Each structure stands twice: as structure tokens, then as C-alpha cells.
């Protein structure tokens, strides 16, 4: 019988403490997630009828979103693993981030194919496989495992731990998700006050006909995402480390 995992509440508390302690180092990297929203605001400067400029801007936004998201993910995992070891974070911590992008994508592709294959059977088998393989990418940063070896290690790591892992993932996502939602609503209300009493419903609407309002709201959401995404990564890493300790 496997050793019991750290309770979900304790894991959440530990992750929050690590988040507040290392936020300044982490946000240096997650702040890049704001770039696509800034590029989207730049569209407002394009004159009407400039189809080529609009298409070029759209391509630049998609490219930036994909590249920045992947690089930020790699960098954040590297920084979090470093802080978990008590190492000092510096430029050397993420010096080889781009070298890990391709291995990370390969692992993600294999993980996604396996999960989708299980989903073709039923939803529950898909969830089961997704949870069992959920730490595949983390083994790249922890053990430098790649390809199928990374998937195999995650599968072995979560043996007889499916329900324990699933519950902790749901608990963390729920608590931190509520936190992000509260901060987002508070930010929208603040924007409403600053905007001179604009209706909150209009501010929260995702179907606003005002491009500037939509762009500003997207930028606010991007800023909040950049601020809190390290918390979710810290939680995953701590759960992974807890599984390793009780393996």
C-alpha cells in the first residue's frame, strides 16, 4: 500500500507560501504572457481597409502567443524546480529553455494522443489516462526524461494513486480558480470606477462592440493570468515532488 500523500489543504497552503515567496522571480518570466494582448491592442492603429496589415498582425499575434506560451512554460518549470531545490534563480537557470521546447512538445504530443485515444473509448478512461500521464512533462525538468520514457515514468509514479492525484488536482484548481475569479471581478469593477461609472455588465461582457474596451479587458485578463499562472505551476510541481517522496 502506497504511503499517504500530503493532504490537499496542506499542499494548497504550501504552494501559496512558495508563490508569495518566489513571485518576484517568477513574474519576470510570466509577464511575457502579456505580449499577445499588447499586440492585439496595436491593431487599433491599423487604418480601415488595410487587409494586408491586418493579416500580418494576426499572424504575428498567433506566432507570438504560441512562442511566448511555450517558452514561458519551460522557464517557469525550470525556475520552480530550482527554487524547490533551494537554488538561487539567475539567468543561468533558464539558459537552455529553448533547447527543451522540442522535447516538451514531443512529450505533450504523445501525452495528448494517448489521452485522446482513451477518450475515444469513454470519458472516464480518458480522464484516467490523462491523470496517470499528467506528470510526463515534469519528468523532463526533473530527470531529463524524454519521449515515451517520460510517459512511462509518470505512469509508474501515479500507480495506485489515481483518485488521490485527481482529488488534489481538482481541489487546487478549484481554490486557485476561485481566487483568480475574485481578483478578475475586482479588477473589472475597478476599471468600471476609473472609466467613470460604466456599467459593470458591459465591462464584463465578452461581446462588447467597442474594440478598445475589448482590448483593454483582454489586457487586464492577460495581466492577471501572468500574475497567477506561476501559482498553478508551483502546485503541480509540489504535487509531483510529493509523489516522488512517497513513491
Amino acid at each position: 500500500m502506497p504511503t499517504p500523500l500530503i493532504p490537499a489543504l496542506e499542499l494548497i497552503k504550501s504552494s501559496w507560501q512558495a508563490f508569495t515567496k518566489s513571485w518576484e522571480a517568477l513574474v519576470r518570466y510570466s509577464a511575457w504572457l502579456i505580449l499577445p494582448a499588447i499586440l492585439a491592442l496595436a491593431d487599433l492603429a491599423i487604418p480601415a481597409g488595410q487587409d494586408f496589415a491586418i493579416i500580418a498582425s494576426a499572424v504575428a499575434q498567433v506566432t507570438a502567443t504560441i512562442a511566448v506560451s511555450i517558452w514561458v512554460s519551460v522557464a517557469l518549470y525550470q525556475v520552480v524546480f530550482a527554487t524547490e531545490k533551494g537554488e538561487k534563480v539567475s539567468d543561468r537557470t533558464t539558459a537552455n529553455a529553448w533547447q527543451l521546447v522540442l522535447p516538451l512538445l514531443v512529450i505533450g504530443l504523445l501525452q495528448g494522443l494517448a489521452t485522446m485515444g482513451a477518450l475515444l473509448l469513454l470519458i472516464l478512461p480518458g480522464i484516467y489516462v490523462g491523470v496517470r500521464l499528467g506528470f510526463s512533462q515534469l519528468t523532463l525538468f526533473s530527470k531529463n526524461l524524454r519521449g515515451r520514457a517520460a510517459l512511462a515514468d509518470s505512469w509508474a509514479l501515479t500507480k495506485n494513486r489515481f483518485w488521490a492525484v485527481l482529488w488534489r488536482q481538482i481541489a487546487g484548481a478549484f481554490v486557485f480558480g476561485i481566487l483568480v475569479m475574485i481578483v478578475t471581478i475586482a479588477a473589472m469593477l475597478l476599471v468600471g470606477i476609473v472609466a467613470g461609472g460604466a456599467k459593470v455588465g458591459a465591462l464584463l461582457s465578452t461581446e462588447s462592440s467597442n474594440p478598445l474596451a475589448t482590448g483593454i479587458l483582454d489586457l487586464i485578463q492577460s495581466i492577471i493570468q501572468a500574475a497567477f499562472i506561476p501559482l498553478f505551476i508551483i502546485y503541480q510541481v509540489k504535487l509531483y515532488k510529493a509523489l516522488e517522496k512517497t513513491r
Side-chain angles (χ1 to χ4, degrees), residues 47-187:
Q50 298 291 326
D51 294 340
F52 177 79
I54 294 174
I55 294 174
S57 177
V59 171
Q61 290 176 41
V62 172
T63 303
T65 300
I66 295 174
V68 167
S69 297
I70 295 173
W71 180 81
V72 167
S73 296
V74 173
L76 288 178
Y77 275 120
Q78 288 181 310
V79 172
V80 171
F81 271 106
T83 55
E84 283 293 306
K85 295 177 183 178
E87 298 176 356
K88 184 178 180 180
V89 177
S90 66
D91 292 339
R92 295 181 60 184
T93 305
T94 59
N96 67 333
W98 283 113
Q99 297 176 20
L100 297 177
V101 167
L102 182 57
L104 185 73
L105 290 177
V106 171
I107 294 173
L109 176 62
L110 294 175
Q111 182 180 341
L113 289 174
T115 303
M116 288 298 296
L119 280 172
L120 292 177
L121 300 176
L122 283 172
I123 294 178
L124 288 179
I127 295 175
Y128 178 79
V129 172
V131 170
R132 293 293 305 274
L133 298 179
F135 300 95
S136 300
Q137 293 181 327
L138 274 69
T139 63
L140 172 65
F141 305 101
S142 177
K143 303 176 181 178
N144 199 31
L145 295 179
R146 310 185 179 210
R148 291 184 297 177
L151 271 66
D153 191 75
S154 177
W155 191 267
L157 182 67
T158 54
K159 183 179 180 181
N160 299 323
R161 296 294 183 87
F162 169 75
W163 291 111
V165 171
L166 179 61
W167 155 242
R168 283 159 179 78
Q169 288 179 333
I170 291 175
F174 177 78
V175 172
F176 297 143
I178 291 294
L179 173 63
V180 172
M181 183 177 68
I182 292 173
V183 173
T184 301
I185 292 175

Side-chain angles (χ1 to χ4, degrees), residues 37-38 40-45 191 195 202-203 205 208-220:
I38 295 176
L41 278 175
D43 281 350
L44 300 176
V191 170
L203 286 171
S205 174
S208 173
S209 58
N210 188 330
L212 178 59
T214 301
I216 292 175
L217 293 181
D218 288 343
L219 179 60
I220 293 172

